[in-house]
Amino acid sequence: MEVAEPSGRLWLEVSVSATGQYQTAVIAGGGQGMYRSSDYGATWTLVSGTLSVDWSAIAVSATGQYQTGAVIGGSLYTSSDYGVRFTPVVGTLNPSWADLSVSATGQYQTAVGGNSGSIYTSSDYGATWVAVSEPSGLSWNCVSLSAT
């Protein structure tokens, strides 16, 4: 489904490759989906299988090849084909994913779990994730990584 500009939606987050060619955006509210553009945002395509998911965050590598999306009350999803298809990562269930970030290559990734205080890291393009210890009682709302 290609649309010139999906309107009438509350865009929650958008992430862009280094050149701007690849862009992926998630919409607030369950069932609104995820959209991607591979032509600098001129046209947008609904990512297959994303309408029934309540997305909370998206991150795109510098080339756009590696992308990771977070679901409220669910898993992290990864893509290694420029956001054409997303696959759930087994073992990353978290009730409140707030944000995530990927390095320029996409190899290193960090996701934070909002009020749950969870911090997860990956060093293999989001294939596996490890919970990181942190002080209790903290709430994480966003995260950012360096290029390397």
Side-chain angles (χ1 to χ4, degrees), residues 94-120:
N94 186 298
S96 61
W97 291 116
D99 198 22
L100 53 93
S101 186
V102 302
S103 64
T105 64
Q107 179 179 355
Y108 301 101
Q109 304 187 15
T110 299
V112 294
N115 292 333
S116 71
S118 301
I119 301 173
Y120 285 80

Side-chain angles (χ1 to χ4, degrees), residues 9-14 25-29 54-58 70 72 98:
R9 294 175 170 90
L10 177 59
W11 295 101
L12 182 62
E13 191 167 286
V14 63
V26 295
I27 302 172
D54 194 6
W55 299 100
S56 62
I58 185 71
I72 295 173

